[in-house]
């Protein structure tokens, strides 16, 4: 049975050391923002035709993660990596609408609750269905998908405003083709959905409305806040926002115009989140916002860009997995993080969405890696880049494979039968295959990948069926 809720009612590798936060105050608020299908080139700093002043400022005022990778080239697996610090293949999430977040996984929200943070999830969940009772979105309420019921409120989130999967970027409850119901609901708890009539206009604004209310309520109550904000934009269907296209003097009829306007809408909402975090005061480290995308831009005919990187969404080439990312903190212009990390820098080493789990925990005082973790706490590297820990990262998608170190990357499209080798630090466009010139280096990386992949398969096979 559904309980409709009025809109106005919704308020509430080895070598890495743990982060230096143990010697500092604890941030009163931490917000993770992830966009959907935003390419490496889809930010004004790399494409002046885009209107993203808030994002540009976020990158300039914080620390850009200059070589940041989604753990997968599609959305669901990447999302699993953020919340668990583990490669999604370990838990059977291999693609979009595939598997679900298992009960046995310890999530970042659960860890933050232990640290006395109020936790909230807002936006596109995509890690399982949100109902067993009614037909909803891609899999919800369908008997064959009943085992994939795995909503945010069962994984440590106190407050939820979530859809199972994608929605239109404007008027999200209506089909852009004919105005009929889109078939996806916003859920706030078991059997609780928001009245569709109140969910009109820019979808990113609807998500951030609830996020800001959550942050404001936690601040007023003197509580720490942890919010995960997974925007649907600029994932298809990208629908014209008449107000934004008029403001930007676009005609709104082309896919590119709609995309530019959609990113401008995203930008405005990032600005609102920054403003909300600036409201937090007290003797703490400043509130922190971490921004990234979940994978590269949609298919070749799509309007998103990679700024010259090869590949796109669903590829393990750079364009499919390297995404824009930055860490930003509130405070005055000269405010530092940890009393040492200055604004305007760039983190030059590889990092992935699997690192966000331990990095967030590191902000609160340090984190301990567990067997089967693929992510690392980046905080020490941010402060002491000369002591970078030398992490390596593996990637899997269908028949595609990749493995990445500080400088080198191997890539395969045939399950590892053949491999290309790239000096990715010098050749981010992956123009020159060095596998014949550097056979020993390639062999070393292939052996490292195979050892990692075998560990992932064992972890997946050993997971008890009841926990899945």
């Amino acid at each position: 049975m559904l309980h409709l809720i009025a809109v106005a009612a919704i308020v509430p590798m080895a070598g890495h050391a743990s982060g230096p936060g143990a010697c500092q105050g604890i941030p009163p608020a931490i917000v993770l923002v992830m966009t959907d299908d935003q390419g490496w080139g889809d930010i004004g700093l790399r494409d002046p035709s885009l209107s993203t002043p808030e994002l540009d400022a976020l990158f300039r005022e914080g620390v850009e993660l200059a070589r940041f990778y989604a753990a997968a080239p599609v959305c669901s697996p990447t999302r699993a990596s953020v919340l668990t610090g583990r490669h999604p293949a370990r838990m059977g999430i291999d693609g979009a609408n595939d598997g679900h977040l298992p009960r046995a996984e310890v999530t970042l929200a659960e860890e933050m609750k232990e640290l006395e943070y109020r936790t909230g999830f807002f936006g596109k969940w995509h890690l399982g269905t949100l109902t067993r009772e009614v037909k909803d979105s891609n899999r919800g309420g369908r008997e064959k998908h009943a085992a994939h019921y795995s909503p945010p409120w069962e994984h440590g989130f106190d407050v939820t405003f979530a859809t199972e999967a994608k929605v239109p970027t404007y008027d999200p409850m209506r089909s852009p083709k004919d105005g009929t119901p889109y078939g996806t609901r916003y859920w706030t708890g078991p059997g609780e959905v928001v009245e569709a009539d109140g969910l009109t206009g820019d979808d990113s604004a609807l998500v951030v409305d609830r996020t800001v209310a959550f942050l404001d309520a936690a601040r007023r109550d003197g509580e720490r806040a942890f919010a995960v904000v997974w925007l649907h934009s600029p994932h298809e269907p990208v629908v014209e926002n008449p107000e934004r296209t008029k403001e930007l003097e676009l005609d709104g009829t082309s896919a590119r115009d709609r995309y530019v306007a959609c990113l401008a809408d995203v930008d405005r909402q990032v600005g609102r989140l920054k403003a909300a975090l600036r409201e937090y005061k007290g003797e703490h480290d400043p509130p922190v916002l971490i921004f990234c995308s979940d994978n590269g831009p949609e298919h070749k005919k799509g309007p998103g860009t990679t700024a010259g990187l090869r590949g796109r969404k669903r590829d393990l080439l750079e364009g499919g997995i390297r995404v824009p990312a930055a860490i930003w903190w509130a405070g005055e212009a000269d405010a530092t993080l940890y009393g040492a990390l200055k604004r305007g820098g760039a983190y030059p080493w590889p990092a992935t969405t699997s690192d966000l789990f331990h990095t967030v925990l590191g902000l609160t005082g340090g984190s301990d890696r567990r067997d089967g973790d693929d992510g690392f706490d980046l905080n020490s590297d941010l402060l002491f880049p000369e002591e970078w820990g030398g992490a390596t990262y593996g990637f899997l998608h269908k028949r595609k494979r990749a493995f990445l170190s500080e400088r080198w990357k191997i890539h395969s499209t045939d399950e590892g039968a053949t491999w290309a080798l790239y000096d990715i630090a010098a050749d981010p466009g992956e123009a020159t295959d060095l596998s014949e010139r550097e056979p020993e280096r390639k062999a070393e990386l292939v052996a490292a990948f195979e050892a990692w992949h075998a560990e992932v398969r064992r972890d997946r096979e050993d997971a008890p069926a009841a926990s899945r």
Side-chain angles (χ1 to χ4, degrees):
M1 182 176 183
L2 299 183
H3 305 287
L4 293 177
I5 298 177
V7 173
I10 301 177
V11 175
M13 192 156 263
H16 278 58
S18 61
C23 300
Q24 306 292 328
I26 295 176
I30 301 175
V31 177
L32 299 186
V33 180
M34 189 159 65
T35 52
D36 200 334
D37 291 3
Q38 182 180 6
W40 170 255
D42 291 334
I43 182 171
L45 290 175
R46 288 190 263 276
D47 182 350
S49 72
L50 297 174
S51 178
T52 61
E54 293 288 351
L55 280 173
D56 297 347
L58 184 146
F59 277 63
R60 289 194 304 266
E61 296 168 359
V63 172
E64 179 178 5
L65 305 178
R67 292 177 59 193
F68 192 78
Y69 294 85
V74 292
C75 48
S76 296
T78 295
R79 294 162 199 273
S81 74
V82 173
L83 292 186
T84 67
R86 286 154 47 81
H87 193 278
R90 296 184 187 270
M91 59 198 85
I93 303 177
D94 300 319
N97 303 298
D98 189 16
H100 63 272
L101 187 59
R103 304 295 191 278
E105 292 293 331
V106 177
T107 69
L108 185 51
E110 291 167 335
E111 294 277 13
M112 296 300 278
K113 280 177 68 68
E114 289 292 318
L115 294 167
E116 301 183 347
Y117 279 80
R118 185 185 295 186
T119 59
F121 178 85
F122 308 91
K124 178 182 176 181
W125 178 241
H126 222 30
L127 289 173
T129 65
L130 308 181
T131 178
R132 295 189 182 100
E133 307 302 324
V134 296
K135 184 178 179 182
D136 178 70
S137 195
N138 292 338
R139 299 187 291 168
R142 295 170 172 88
E143 185 175 348
K144 66 178 181 178
H145 298 304
H148 294 303
Y149 178 76
S150 187
W153 51 85
E154 293 194 359
H155 290 286
F157 288 101
D158 298 319
V159 176
T160 295
F161 178 72
T163 66
E164 177 196 321
K166 68 179 181 179
V167 296
T169 60
Y170 191 84
D171 286 350
M173 299 293 101
R174 299 198 305 229
S175 169
K177 295 180 179 180
D178 55 14
T180 59
Y182 192 68
T184 294
R185 299 170 179 85
Y186 268 106
W187 297 80
T188 60
E192 298 177 352
V193 298
V194 181
E195 293 176 343
D197 289 347
L199 298 172
T200 60
D202 173 36
D203 177 69
S204 294
L206 295 172
V207 172
V208 173
D209 285 346
R210 276 79 183 169
T211 311
V212 170
F214 167 82
L215 293 170
D216 288 348
R219 176 175 52 81
R220 288 194 304 266
D221 293 343
E223 292 189 310
R224 300 174 187 139
F226 172 66
V228 175
V229 185
W230 287 349
L231 300 175
H232 299 86
S233 298
H235 191 294
E236 298 176 335
V238 178
V239 179
E240 179 193 1
N241 177 348
E243 178 183 351
R244 201 66 55 234
T245 52
K246 180 179 179 180
E247 174 190 298
L248 298 175
E249 300 182 346
L250 303 168
D251 63 26
T253 59
S254 72
R256 178 63 182 176
D257 278 0
R258 292 192 295 272
Y259 194 78
V260 170
C262 181
L263 284 173
D265 283 330
V266 168
D267 188 73
R268 290 169 71 95
Q269 302 314 313
V270 170
R272 290 180 64 201
L273 291 171
K274 290 161 64 179
L277 290 177
R278 289 189 181 101
E279 292 298 314
Y280 270 91
K281 302 290 191 295
E283 296 181 3
H284 301 279
D285 272 352
V288 175
L289 185 152
I290 303 177
F291 173 89
C292 69
S293 174
D294 66 344
N295 48 247
E298 189 51 275
H299 52 75
K300 293 180 180 179
K301 294 183 180 180
T305 64
T306 66
L309 301 179
R310 284 179 63 200
R312 299 175 76 85
K313 182 178 179 179
R314 303 177 187 86
D315 291 324
L316 293 182
L317 294 164
E318 293 291 283
I321 51 177
R322 189 187 287 204
V323 294
I327 298 177
W328 175 91
W329 56 95
E332 303 300 328
D334 59 351
T336 58
L337 190 61
Y338 297 132
L341 189 62
K342 297 181 179 180
R343 300 187 187 277
Y347 179 76
W349 313 116
T352 78
T353 49
S354 297
D355 294 323
L356 296 182
F357 179 97
H358 286 291
T359 300
V360 168
L361 293 179
L363 289 168
T364 69
S367 62
D368 296 322
R369 296 192 77 241
R370 310 152 300 181
D371 290 343
D373 281 1
D374 297 277
F376 302 92
D377 179 358
L378 302 178
N379 289 287
S380 293
D381 292 342
L382 288 165
L383 287 171
F384 310 110
E386 69 278 3
E387 299 177 8
W388 183 68
T392 55
Y393 299 98
F395 300 85
L396 303 164
H397 183 64
K398 296 185 177 181
R399 290 175 54 83
K400 299 169 184 176
R401 309 283 187 265
F403 197 70
L404 181 71
S405 69
E406 173 192 352
R407 177 177 173 183
W408 302 94
K409 177 183 176 183
I410 53 172
H411 177 263
S412 172
T413 59
D414 54 13
E415 297 183 311
T418 59
W419 292 91
L421 171 70
Y422 301 103
D423 181 349
I424 208 68
D427 179 22
E430 294 166 299
T432 305
D433 178 2
L434 300 174
S435 55
E436 293 187 4
R437 200 180 310 174
E438 298 268 4
E440 293 182 359
R441 191 177 304 279
K442 183 181 81 167
E444 179 183 357
L445 286 169
V446 169
F449 167 83
E450 291 176 345
W452 170 80
H453 193 198
E455 177 194 322
V456 169
R457 291 196 302 267
R458 286 194 301 270
D459 200 1
R460 180 169 177 157
E461 293 166 0
D462 290 346
S467 71
R468 297 173 185 168

